[in-house]
Amino acid sequence: MADAAVRVSGLSKQFGDVCAVDDVAFYVARGEFMALLGPSGCGKTTTLRLIGGFERPDRGRIEVGGRVVAEGRTFLPPERRRVGMVFQDYALFPHLDVARNVGYGVRSGSTRAARVGEMLELVGLGDLGGRMPHELSGGQQQRVALARALAPRPEVLLLDEPFSNLDATLRARVRGELREILTAAGATAIFVTHDREEALSLADRVAILWQGRLVQVATPNELYRQPATVEVAAFIGDADLLPGEATGGYVGCELGRLPVCPPTHGQVRVLIRPEAVQLCADPNGSAQVVAREFYGHDQVVVVRLPSGRLLRARLGPWATFQPGDCVEVGIDGAVSVFPNDVAPTAT
Ligand code: ATP
């Protein structure tokens, strides 16, 4: 990717015995929205802070806008990297009003006021330039933080858990707004999250970190359909695993002969997503419903297969299966499989 806004390679950072970031390499294209996703402690924030210049790497190279900002003895401080950072707690200056917060990083001159006005309009706070940060809601504070980070026209915006301080209802709304604002600004952004839905719904591509290592970078769709490892599969969505034997484009397992993508051979674990499972009421069916969790917009029905293994089906709210019902189980679409190198586990 020639036109990368950010490119890291061989990036490593150790804290004492902990290898927080281990030989990580990826790029973010201009205008792209990239999520860094993974479980707590996997190195997401450290990676973001290394790119921002808030940590110094032990090894590796970081380029921002085609310029090396960290490698060997080269280490540019945050203010010389052309990065904008939105911190988890927004870190607004409490003694400055909204307009001054937004204008903080913009060079003083005749165009500063216009740039501040433009940014406030962009984030929908055109009338609130004179307010103090404590007079704003959480969502408004976040938009000020975003406007402040975008105002100096950074090469890339770095956002650390941007929604963690918002309640669930506000979070859903602000997510969409953030995406619209960044698209309108033509911004490149990297955001850290441990929330899979947030990453899948917002990002153009998602980078999965696991114990300091980058295990997969893919579009949300690819990630969900073709996770690189069983751990990634289970982390980004509900998954049940069944033993099977693959022969090219098909795998034989307890649920019959299922198409596999990509084709493979040998003993495998078959990944079954609950939303791919179809149930058909049948008094002679070989599986039995054992539990049902109703969520309103959907429900999860748990069935016991003849082997005794449990399998989850995510169904619409209108399905009326009850514990004790006998059913036939079908699978919609192709499944993914993983080499059978460890004992099958279900999540
Ligand atoms: P979370 O989702 O919980 O914020 P994370 O994926 O962002 O986690 P990091 O904050 O990058 O993970 O931490 C990676 C590892 O490095 C963790 O084991 C953490 O304890 C350790 N670590 C991070 N910063 C420091 C530090 N300044 N000193 C010592 N250890 C640190």
Side-chain angles (χ1 to χ4, degrees):
M1 162 57 62
D3 198 23
V6 173
R7 185 187 296 280
V8 306
S9 53
L11 192 63
S12 299
K13 178 73 183 175
Q14 185 119 6
F15 294 111
D17 294 341
V18 178
C19 196
V21 176
D22 188 2
D23 199 19
V24 163
F26 64 88
Y27 73 86
V28 185
R30 276 185 211 282
E32 194 175 31
F33 207 21
M34 166 83 97
L36 297 182
L37 175 69
S40 182
C42 70
K44 307 179 292 289
T45 298
T46 306
T47 303
L48 201 73
R49 289 173 59 80
L50 286 165
I51 296 169
F54 301 95
E55 299 284 356
R56 191 183 273 267
D58 297 334
R59 279 181 304 286
R61 175 187 171 101
I62 304 171
E63 287 172 45
V64 175
R67 198 168 53 127
V68 176
V69 297
E71 183 179 37
R73 294 220 179 125
T74 303
F75 182 77
L76 300 190
E79 64 276 13
R80 291 188 51 211
R81 291 194 175 195
R82 303 209 53 212
V83 296
M85 184 93 189
V86 179
F87 295 94
Q88 221 174 90
D89 61 359
Y90 315 137
L92 299 179
F93 304 117
H95 57 294
L96 298 183
D97 67 18
V98 164
R100 288 202 175 89
N101 261 285
V102 173
Y104 186 81
V106 183
R107 206 171 288 154
S108 59
S110 55
T111 55
R112 175 148 77 177
R115 181 67 179 160
V116 169
E118 193 187 334
M119 288 299 98
L120 286 176
E121 287 299 328
L122 179 73
V123 299
L125 297 178
D127 301 335
L128 300 188
R131 288 255 189 107
M132 298 304 283
H134 72 269
E135 296 172 319
L136 302 174
S137 71
Q140 289 169 332
Q141 287 182 26
Q142 196 211 35
R143 282 190 270 163
V144 175
L146 197 59
R148 183 179 63 180
L150 285 169
R153 304 180 201 276
E155 286 282 350
V156 60
L157 205 60
L158 307 175
L159 304 112
D160 191 2
E161 298 271 5
F163 310 103
S164 61
N165 279 335
L166 305 175
D167 67 46
T169 329
L170 195 56
R171 196 178 296 188
R173 204 188 77 209
V174 170
R175 262 189 217 168
E177 285 174 3
L178 177 76
R179 181 77 231 209
E180 276 173 30
I181 291 168
L182 293 179
T183 305
T188 306
I190 306 177
F191 77 105
V192 157
T193 181
H194 60 266
D195 182 324
R196 65 196 190 190
E197 278 183 18
E198 213 156 270
L200 295 176
S201 63
L202 268 181
D204 296 311
R205 284 188 307 147
V206 181
I208 302 275
L209 286 167
W210 210 267
Q211 296 175 346
R213 298 196 72 102
L214 188 69
V215 288
Q216 190 168 11
V217 185
T219 64
N221 209 311
E222 286 164 356
L223 196 62
Y224 200 72
R225 288 172 181 274
Q226 296 295 326
T229 66
V230 165
E231 290 77 17
V232 171
F235 185 72
I236 61 155
D238 294 335
D240 290 310
L241 293 162
L242 297 176
E245 179 157 8
T247 46
Y250 287 90
V251 61
C253 70
E254 195 175 356
L255 300 175
R257 190 165 175 263
L258 306 175
V260 177
C261 183
T264 186
H265 288 272
Q267 299 292 322
V268 291
R269 285 170 291 168
V270 185
L271 171 78
I272 310 282
R273 297 280 189 206
E275 49 275 21
V277 177
Q278 296 168 336
L279 302 182
C280 181
D282 180 348
N284 301 315
S286 56
Q288 191 172 41
V289 174
V290 292
R292 174 175 179 244
E293 292 166 11
F294 188 74
Y295 297 111
H297 45 68
D298 62 11
Q299 59 182 314
V300 173
V301 175
V302 185
V303 298
R304 179 173 287 115
L305 300 177
S307 64
R309 286 195 172 80
L310 298 179
L311 187 73
R312 289 168 290 181
R314 192 183 306 284
L315 306 176
W318 321 118
T320 55
F321 296 104
Q322 295 297 332
D325 288 354
C326 288
V327 292
E328 274 307 326
V329 179
I331 300 296
D332 186 18
V335 293
S336 0
V337 297
F338 298 92
N340 195 14
D341 45 12
V342 283
T345 51
T347 58

